[in-house]
Amino acid sequence: MIRPSLGLPADIASAGRRRIGRRVALVAGVVGAGFGGLYLVGLGVGGDIPSGTRVSGVDLGGLSNSQARDRLDSSLGGAWSEPVQVRLGDSDGTVRVSGISLDTEETVARAAQAGSDPFTVIGRLFANGDREVEPVIRVDEAKARASLAEEAKSYDRKAREGAVTFKAGEAVLARPVMGRSLDVDGAVEKLASEIPGQGTEPVRLPVRTTEPRVDAAEVERAMKEFATPAMSAPVTLTVGGQRIEIGPATLGKHLTMKRDADNSLAPALDGKGLLAEPTVAGQLALALDEPVDAELNLDGGRVTVASDGKAGQEVTSAALRKAVLPLLAESGAARTGAVGVEEIEPRLTRDNAGRLGIKEQMSTFTVDFEPDAYRVTNIGRAAELINGSVVLPDETWSFNRTVGERTEANGFVEGVIINNDRFEKAAGGGVSAVATTVFNALFFAGVKPVEYGAHSFYIERYPEGREATVAWGSLDLKFRNDSGNAIYIDARATDTSVTITFLGTKKYDQVEAVKGPRTLVKQPATREGASGDKCVPQTPLEGFNVAVDRIFKDGGRAVKTENFETRYDPRDEVTCD
C-alpha cells in the first residue's frame, strides 16, 4: 500500500519517521521504568500483608505471614472451640460445634497473594482504604453434623396434637404444641459461612417447625360440645325391664376422642372393654338369662339327653356402644336409653348333641378323700361349677377360668392348702382333689394337657406322677381338646369322693398308664411351723422322682407313647406349738 507523503521529499519524510519512532520508544521506556519503580517502591512499603488488609475485622496490614497467622489464631482461632451463641427460632442459646475451624494458613496465604499483585502493590501507595479478605474455613462435615445432631436432641421436640382425655370421671384438655427441629445441614452451612462472635447478634441457625393438626380451637370445641357433657352424669340403660346405670368414672376408662380425616376430634367408645367392666357385667347378668346347656347322662354306655337346653339373652359390645355413645352429649332425662338384646342358643342341645360327636364315655376317674367340712364344701362347689362344661374341638379348657377364684363370695371356705412346702390354711383348701381327678380324666381320655403342675411334695391318696394342683393367679390346669369332637364334662361329688367323666368320641381304643420306680430319693428334715392358728402339722415323707408313660393303643397295639416326669420334694416333718 502506498501512503501519501503529504508533499514532502522522500528523504525528509524518512528522517521524520525515524525521529518519531525514537520518541515513542523513549516514552515507553520512561513509562516502564516509572511503573517498575512504583512496584519496587510499593513492595518496600509494609510487610508481606498489604496495609489496610482485614480478615473479619482483624487488621493484618503490614504484618509478615507468620505475624499474621499468630494474630488470626489469637483473635479468631478459638471461634468454634467455645460454645457458640446462637438463636434458634425465638430463643437464644449456645451450642458446641466440632469439625469447623479457621484455616489461618490458607487465609494468610490468600491475603499475601493479593498483596503481591503489581496493581495492588502500586495501588496501596495512593489508596488508604481498608481491604477485606474472606476467611478460609475448614469444615469436617461428618463431625460438624454429628455434634449439631447431638445438640439438637435437647432442642428438638415433636409436635403434640391437641387432645381430650378422660381420667377419674373428668375430661382433661391437652393443648397443642408446635413441633420444632434443628436443620442440621443448614446449620453446618450457616456456621461455616461466618465466624461466631464477630457480630453483635447471635448466629441464627435454621430450624424447621411442624404445626399440630388438631389446633387449640378444635380442642376447645370438643371439650364444650362433647367431653364435658359426657362426664357430667351417669347414663342409664333399660334392658329386660331393669335399669342399668353406668357412672362417669367407668365410662371414662373406655372413652376416647380420636382425630378424624378432617383433623377434628370425634368420640370413640370401646364397647368390648365397657362390657367387661364388673359393674356393667354384673348388672347385665342380673337383667338377662344365661343360656343353659342340655344335661347328658350315660345309659348303658350310650349318651342320652337328661334335660334339654334353654336359650338365653346377651348384650353385645356393638349394641352397648351403639346405645351409650349418643347419650353422652345429652343432659337430664335424655341420658337414658334402651339397649338392644340378642337371643343366644346354648352350645349343647338335644338336637346337636349327636352332631357334636358326644356319644360315648371317653374316660372316668374317682378320687376318694377323708371327709371334712371344708373339703366337702369346696370339692362340691368346684364340681358344681365344672359340671356340664362343653369343650368344642381345638378349644382349650381352663380349671381357673371355669371354677373362678376360690373366695367366700364364690362359695368356698377356708381349708388346708400347700404353700412353700408346708400345709397352711387358706380359702379353697381341698380343691386340688378335683384338679387331680380332672387331670386323670383327661389323661385317660387321651387329650393334650397344656398347663399343669404336681404338688410340691407327694400326697398319698393321689397316684404317683398323675396328680395336679392349682393356684389362683399362678398355676392353672388346662387341656386342649384334640380329640376331633366335642367333649362334655360330667362332675359329681359326695362327702367322700369326686368323680369326673369325659363324654365324647374316643380317639384311641385304650389309654394306659405305666409307672416307673422311684429314683433320686431324698430324706425329709424336721422343722417348726409358723406361729399362729394357720400352722398345720405334717408327717414326714421322702422326696423322689417318678416317670409315668401314657400309652395309646388301637386294636390292642401301642401306637404312641408319651412320658410324664415328676419331681417331689421331701415332705418335712412340721410341728406346731
Side-chain angles (χ1 to χ4, degrees), residues 522-553:
K522 185 177 181 181
Q523 297 305 313
T526 300
R527 53 195 168 102
E528 292 185 358
S531 60
D533 59 359
K534 288 189 178 296
C535 179
V536 178
Q538 64 189 33
T539 57
L541 184 70
E542 65 185 17
F544 57 91
N545 286 14
V546 66
V548 176
D549 288 336
R550 180 163 70 161
I551 303 174
F552 303 83
K553 291 184 175 182

Side-chain angles (χ1 to χ4, degrees), residues 235-238 269 274 315-328 334-340:
V235 297
T236 303
L237 302 176
T238 57
L269 180 65
L274 184 60
V315 171
T316 65
S317 59
L320 185 62
R321 181 176 62 250
K322 183 178 179 181
V324 171
L325 201 53
L327 304 178
L328 295 176
R335 293 178 72 86
T336 298
V339 60

Side-chain angles (χ1 to χ4, degrees), residues 95-328:
V95 298
R96 288 189 174 275
V97 187
S98 300
I100 302 179
S101 60
L102 176 68
D103 190 338
T104 53
E105 187 80 28
E106 185 62 29
T107 302
V108 169
R110 179 180 291 182
Q113 182 180 12
S116 65
D117 177 70
F119 293 100
T120 302
V121 171
I122 294 172
R124 70 186 179 185
L125 294 174
F126 305 101
N128 54 10
D130 291 341
R131 185 173 62 91
E132 281 291 331
V133 174
E134 288 293 324
V136 179
I137 298 173
R138 288 195 301 265
V139 180
D140 184 330
E141 291 192 5
K143 285 186 178 180
R145 193 175 288 110
S147 65
L148 286 171
E150 186 65 27
E151 292 286 341
K153 291 179 181 179
S154 60
Y155 173 78
D156 293 357
R157 71 181 178 209
K158 291 183 178 180
R160 187 181 72 191
E161 301 293 346
V164 172
T165 58
F166 302 92
K167 185 176 182 180
E170 297 287 338
V172 181
L173 179 149
R175 297 196 175 277
V177 176
M178 181 178 66
R180 67 188 187 192
S181 62
L182 174 64
D183 179 357
V184 173
D185 289 339
V188 172
E189 292 181 8
K190 183 68 174 177
L191 288 169
S193 67
E194 56 183 275
I195 298 180
Q198 295 304 296
T200 57
E201 293 292 324
V203 180
R204 183 176 289 278
L205 299 184
V207 297
R208 301 186 183 95
T209 58
T210 306
E211 293 290 340
R213 291 167 291 186
V214 178
D215 58 23
E218 173 56 22
V219 173
E220 291 171 0
R221 181 206 65 78
M223 282 287 290
K224 179 181 179 181
E225 295 181 7
F226 179 81
T228 301
M231 296 291 100
S232 63
V235 297
T236 303
L237 302 176
T238 57
V239 55
Q242 297 192 34
R243 296 166 66 87
I244 296 173
E245 187 175 276
I246 309 176
T250 301
L251 290 167
K253 289 167 62 177
H254 306 283
L255 187 62
T256 55
M257 298 202 76
K258 297 182 178 180
R259 180 179 60 86
D260 61 17
D262 298 325
N263 293 328
S264 299
L265 291 176
L269 180 65
D270 177 11
K272 185 177 181 180
L274 184 60
L275 187 62
E277 279 288 330
T279 55
V280 177
Q283 293 182 80
L284 286 173
L286 294 175
L288 302 172
D289 293 327
E290 289 281 342
V292 178
D293 284 322
E295 289 188 12
L296 304 181
N297 275 334
L298 270 176
D299 184 8
R302 188 172 63 87
V303 174
T304 61
V305 178
S307 64
D308 205 351
K310 181 182 178 183
Q313 303 89 37
E314 72 171 354
V315 171
T316 65
S317 59
L320 185 62
R321 181 176 62 250
K322 183 178 179 181
V324 171
L325 201 53
L327 304 178
L328 295 176

Side-chain angles (χ1 to χ4, degrees), residues 17 148 191 202 211 283 325 332 372 376 388 409 441 463 497 518 537 559 561:
R17 285 194 296 273
L148 286 171
L191 288 169
E211 293 290 340
Q283 293 182 80
L325 201 53
D372 194 304
V376 172
S497 68
R518 294 182 179 184
V559 294
T561 299

